[in-house]
Amino acid sequence: MALLLHLLACAFGLGSWVAVNGLWVELPLIVNALPEGWELPSYLTVIIQLANLGPLLVTLMHKLCPGRLNEHAVIYAILSIGILSCILLIFFWDKTTIVAGASHSTAFFILTFFLSLVDCTSSVTFLPFMMQLPAKYITTYFIGEGLSGFIPGVLALAQGVGMAKCVNSSQTLGNYTDEEVWSLQTEYHSPNFSTQVFFSFLVAMMCISLAAFVGLNRLPRTFELSTANLVPDTVGSVSSGFDNPGVEADGEGEKSQRTVEEKSRPLLVEAQHSMYQLACIYFLVVWVNAATNGLLPSVQTYSCMPYGNLAYHLSAALASVANPVACTIAMFFQNRCPLKS
């Protein structure tokens, strides 16, 4: 049962950011097909930030109407929206419409907004649901969340990028002399599999996440899911007395109780930070997130443009792979150093 719960928790975390991560690593191929071209990441950055409306609404519902919001229904809704958006993306990602006299990827932008809404809202709905499980399963969930960026990155590397080369092209002017004009044109080779196939992988990963959530809801609430196991692993178990009530002697019970209190005492000490330290910590968090999720992705095309499409493809795919790998390493090798005044 424990192994099954670990697998379900990991698969559930797989659907947290898989859609947005998949769009970023697929951009090197999409920019050659959509009219926005190399400006496309700037549009996507704005759309993804607008999708933070979802977490804001969930937070307001918790504050204004506590207990009225059904977390399970919200998770079912956002996962279903994510699957439907990915399916529509397979067929309409390259469809364009004329807006203000220019061709724009309207369908792609709308579907990107809904996918971003799903992923942003998952940050404030998936984790509260996982808090109902013991702490060890939350770690597994974070591994699955890391895989939501790692797997699309690996798929993008396997997909490859359409290598470009310059070829001579002739064009007849159509006058009486039938004069031909020669020019160089860019010719792109096809990748190992198409963009539609890549989006189909995203649909499959979202379906796996939804199936895992259904499985977590339908599993019987055994002792693994009891509130007695919601304490961290570093604290002694307090459920041993419930297994055989009345068997333990008073001396052993008091000794066990003292052991639990001694082990749990350090957890009750809260670190005190000054206003300067808190301001510095929050500033660093804001700056790192603004650079990682806003500034750097929007200018990545311009920084990679001089080096060609292959450099852009590798930088986008490897960045998506490196982020979850670094988070996984930090999970096992923790190094917390509070700011000193």
Side-chain angles (χ1 to χ4, degrees):
M1 181 65 71
L3 178 60
L4 178 60
L5 283 173
H6 278 296
L7 292 176
L8 291 177
C10 183
F12 178 52
L14 200 64
S16 56
W17 284 94
V18 64
V20 170
N21 290 325
L23 289 178
W24 279 120
V25 299
E26 193 67 7
L27 275 182
L29 293 177
I30 296 177
V31 294
N32 298 322
L34 297 184
E36 289 78 12
W38 291 77
E39 297 178 355
L40 195 60
S42 300
Y43 286 93
L44 292 190
T45 301
V46 176
I47 293 174
I48 293 173
Q49 299 310 315
L50 290 176
N52 284 305
L53 178 66
L56 179 61
L57 291 177
V58 173
T59 304
L60 290 177
M61 283 293 295
H62 282 301
K63 294 294 183 181
L64 301 179
C65 305
R68 298 287 298 276
L69 187 64
N70 190 341
E71 296 285 353
H72 292 70
V74 174
I75 295 177
Y76 276 121
I78 63 175
L79 286 177
S80 300
I81 292 174
I83 293 173
L84 180 60
S85 299
C86 286
I87 293 175
L88 294 176
L89 205 60
I90 298 174
F91 303 100
F92 300 104
W93 72 272
D94 56 347
K95 304 300 181 182
T96 59
T97 56
I98 303 299
V99 178
S103 179
H104 289 283
S105 309
T106 310
F108 181 76
F109 289 156
I110 294 175
L111 293 175
T112 298
F113 173 78
F114 282 104
L115 288 176
S116 304
L117 188 67
V118 170
D119 291 359
C120 293
T121 309
S122 69
S123 299
V124 294
T125 54
F126 284 16
L127 193 56
F129 170 77
M130 291 302 301
M131 291 297 291
Q132 303 175 18
L133 305 179
K136 56 185 179 181
Y137 298 114
I138 298 178
T139 302
T140 308
Y141 165 80
F142 281 123
I143 294 176
E145 186 173 316
L147 291 176
S148 69
F150 181 81
I151 294 179
V154 172
L155 288 175
L157 291 175
Q159 182 184 22
V161 65
M163 297 297 296
K165 67 176 182 179
C166 294
V167 296
N168 289 322
S169 177
S170 63
Q171 182 179 4
T172 304
L173 295 180
N175 52 16
Y176 295 104
T177 59
D178 291 335
E179 182 181 356
E180 291 185 348
V181 177
W182 291 86
S183 61
L184 292 177
Q185 292 186 354
T186 304
E187 182 178 297
Y188 293 97
H189 296 285
S190 300
N192 295 329
F193 52 87
S194 64
T195 302
Q196 288 85 349
V197 174
F198 182 85
F199 289 148
S200 299
F201 281 115
L202 298 185
V203 174
M205 295 174 69
M206 293 292 294
C207 290
I208 291 174
S209 179
L210 178 59
F213 178 66
V214 174
L216 288 172
N217 277 323
R218 292 185 177 274
L219 280 178
R221 291 301 191 259
T222 61
F223 72 95
E224 284 285 349
L225 304 182
S226 65
T227 56
N229 288 283
L230 292 180
V231 294
D233 294 333
T234 56
V235 182
S237 175
V238 296
S239 61
S240 58
F242 296 98
D243 296 333
N244 297 304
V247 174
E248 282 189 333
D250 295 339
E252 294 180 357
E254 293 177 359
K255 182 179 178 180
S256 176
Q257 182 67 23
R258 285 196 302 269
T259 303
V260 171
E261 292 177 356
E262 290 175 358
K263 290 183 178 181
S264 61
R265 189 177 297 116
L267 298 177
L268 300 177
V269 179
E270 296 182 359
Q272 299 294 330
H273 298 289
S274 64
M275 291 300 297
Y276 168 77
Q277 291 174 330
L278 290 175
C280 186
I281 292 173
Y282 286 129
F283 172 77
L284 291 176
V285 171
V286 171
W287 170 252
V288 169
N289 282 277
T292 304
N293 300 319
L295 178 63
L296 296 181
S298 61
V299 301
Q300 189 176 25
T301 49
Y302 302 101
S303 62
C304 296
M305 189 183 299
Y307 306 100
N309 211 36
L310 178 60
Y312 179 37
H313 169 75
L314 292 177
S315 63
L318 292 177
S320 181
V321 171
N323 189 19
V325 170
C327 293
T328 303
I329 294 175
M331 188 180 301
F332 294 100
F333 298 94
Q334 299 178 0
N335 183 17
R336 297 186 179 93
C337 181
L339 295 176
K340 297 187 186 221
S341 54

